[in-house]
Structure formats: C-alpha cells, structure tokens
Amino acid sequence: MYHTLITAQELNQHYSSDDWVILDCRFNLADADKGEALYINGHIKSAQYVNLNQQLSGAVTAVSGRHPLPEVTAITQVFSQAGIGEHQQVVVYDDCSGAMAARTWWLLQWLGHSKVAVLEGGVDAWLQAGYSLTAHSINPVSRHFVRRDSAYQAISITQLCSGQYQLVDARAAARFNGEEEPIDQVAGHIPDAVNRPFSDNLTPAGLFKSRDQLKAQWQTLANDNTLHMCGSGVTACHNILAMRHAGLSASKLYVGSWSEWIRDPTRRVVP
C-alpha cells in the first residue's frame, strides 16, 4: 500500500479497478471552474473529479476561512460515492505538484483512511512517462466509507488562541512578509509564525525532494506542537505530506488559516 507518494510508473503497474480509486483534484483558486473543465477535457483513466470548493470544503461563513472543513457526514458520503471502502488504495493528483491534491490526501488521513498517496509530479508526470489521458467518465461502485481514529488533527481557532503551538505558514515569502497579498484582504502573518513555503518541499522539476533532504530540512520544526497553516488550509497540507514522507510524525493543521485569522480585526497581525 502507498501512504504518501506514488510514481506514475507505480500507478500504471499496480492499478486495479477493484481495489484502487483515483481522484482528480485539479483546481485553480482564481478560476473555480478550470479544474473540472480540464478533467472533462482529459484525465487519467478511471479517475473521478472532486471539487475543492463544492466537495472538499464546508460552507464559508462570516467568521470562517475560505476553505473550512466539510461536515464529516458530507465528506464521508463523497468518499463513499467515490467507491472508497476500508480496503481501497486511493491515489490523488493535480497539475501543481500536489498543492491541491494534498488537501484530499489530508482529509482521508484525518478520517483514518491511511491508504492514500499523492501522484508524484501529477498529471504532467503521467504524460511525461508516456501514458495517455481519456475523456471517458466512469460510474463508480459505491462503498461504505468508515471513519477511523487518526493521528492527524484539525485545530480550531479557539484551540490555537488558547494553546501553545509552533505555527508554520506554507504561503510564499512575499505573502508571509506582507509585501503582496493577491487573495486575502489583509497582508502579513500571525505573530510568532515561521515561514516554510510549500514550494521548498520540491525540486526545480516540481517533484518532492528526497526523504533524507526533507527530513534534514524539517527536523528543526518537527515537534508535538507543530501546527501548519497557509491561506485557507490547502497548501499547508503539502507541508504535512512532506513531513510524513520524510518519516516524521503526523502534525496538526489549522484549517481556518490566514483567511480566518483576519476575519476579526482585533487579532494581531505582523505586517
């Protein structure tokens, strides 16, 4: 079974329609319809599309971040309808080196389904390996998704404000430093947070660095109180994935992240 990353060659070699489920997680924050349009145009055979806004997130409120957690009953229904039972190996992919797919990976881990891996290099790596895409859609056989206990934790803003955590922000340095803010209404970062852009997990080719490299780079930030964040709890999952791939313990996710923190103007911001 694969629990963190899987290569295109491994997926092509071992895929079984009975025991494997492939989820296409392509999504563009600036164009919410683009990911599904790309899926319709061409996707890995047997893949199903899951939408970050509509399926992998809950309803946005006046006090939430941009991608709050979905209700457990809703997301377990999504995974049940996708055909994910207790024994299925799940593979998730996108077109941005795992930045979007890692959210689906984390959701499944959070719900206790550990047999899930991100496709290394995504759809680009699949094509570069010489494999084709299809526009043919499938009708998955529904299975009963069962939630299990998990070491992956979601931390609320109440817990954040009342606890002692080492916040690690996965946003680009320019956003963290308040030099630019293309998405949210306030620039800067939460006091005492440290910046570790998720892109630092990758090689220039857009693949994950080796386990040894990632372990050496993450060890100083890895402890029981490590808490990951980003703009809205999506790319922060990429950092959690990198730590797990390096063999480090599962760390926590502040799902609301920056977009929730700035909802209250009384919360401190470092510009």
Side-chain angles (χ1 to χ4, degrees):
M1 291 296 180
Y2 297 87
H3 304 281
T4 55
L5 299 176
I6 185 172
T7 67
Q9 291 81 2
E10 288 169 331
L11 174 58
N12 184 65
Q13 179 181 357
H14 297 297
Y15 171 75
S16 162
S17 59
D18 292 332
D19 299 321
W20 291 53
V21 173
I22 305 175
L23 300 178
D24 186 318
C25 307
R26 285 177 285 182
F27 191 84
N28 188 303
L29 294 175
D31 182 353
D33 297 323
K34 184 176 181 179
E36 188 166 11
L38 289 170
Y39 170 82
I40 292 171
N41 187 58
H43 52 266
I44 294 175
K45 183 180 178 180
S46 301
Q48 305 167 58
Y49 185 71
V50 285
N51 187 287
L52 173 63
N53 283 355
Q54 298 173 14
Q55 295 167 286
L56 306 177
S57 304
V60 176
T61 70
V63 297
S64 75
R66 286 182 279 107
H67 294 107
L69 278 182
E71 294 291 336
V72 171
T73 53
I75 192 60
T76 53
Q77 183 178 21
V78 168
F79 291 146
S80 291
Q81 291 175 345
I84 304 174
E86 186 172 3
H87 302 294
Q88 271 59 50
Q89 170 71 60
V90 183
V91 174
V92 295
Y93 73 88
D94 57 27
D95 55 1
C96 50
S97 299
M100 297 293 120
R103 167 72 172 229
T104 313
W105 173 87
W106 181 87
L107 281 169
L108 284 160
Q109 296 284 3
W110 173 63
L111 293 170
H113 189 91
S114 65
K115 297 184 284 289
V116 53
V118 172
L119 178 60
E120 175 77 289
V123 67
D124 292 335
W126 181 261
L127 292 170
Q128 289 168 10
Y131 308 131
S132 62
L133 302 180
T134 179
H136 178 70
S137 59
I138 67 167
N139 294 313
V141 176
S142 295
R143 294 184 174 90
H144 181 52
F145 184 90
V146 179
R147 184 180 186 182
R148 302 290 187 188
D149 291 337
S150 171
Y152 294 82
Q153 298 180 39
I155 300 300
S156 69
I157 195 162
T158 300
Q159 292 171 300
L160 170 61
C161 293
S162 62
Q164 297 290 327
Y165 298 101
Q166 173 58 73
L167 267 176
V168 180
D169 193 323
R171 294 177 299 159
R175 292 183 67 194
F176 180 84
N177 294 328
E179 298 165 8
E180 63 179 31
E181 183 45 70
I183 302 175
D184 293 306
Q185 296 180 345
V186 179
H189 62 266
I190 296 176
D192 299 323
V194 297
N195 189 211
R196 164 72 185 198
F198 79 89
S199 58
D200 287 355
N201 299 320
L202 304 169
T203 68
L207 303 176
F208 276 78
K209 295 174 180 175
S210 71
R211 284 185 170 92
D212 289 343
Q213 286 177 301
L214 290 171
K215 186 173 184 179
Q217 294 172 2
W218 274 106
Q219 271 186 327
T220 57
L221 294 173
N223 59 62
D224 291 341
N225 293 319
T226 301
L227 177 60
H228 296 272
M229 63 167 290
C230 55
S232 63
V234 177
T235 58
C237 298
H238 198 279
N239 279 348
I240 299 175
L241 171 60
M243 290 183 68
R244 289 299 291 141
H245 188 60
L248 300 169
S249 299
S251 44
K252 305 172 182 67
L253 174 65
Y254 169 35
V255 182
S257 286
W258 181 246
S259 56
E260 179 182 53
W261 180 266
I262 60 173
R263 291 284 196 175
D264 184 345
T266 66
R267 296 184 187 124
R268 289 181 57 211
V269 167
V270 178

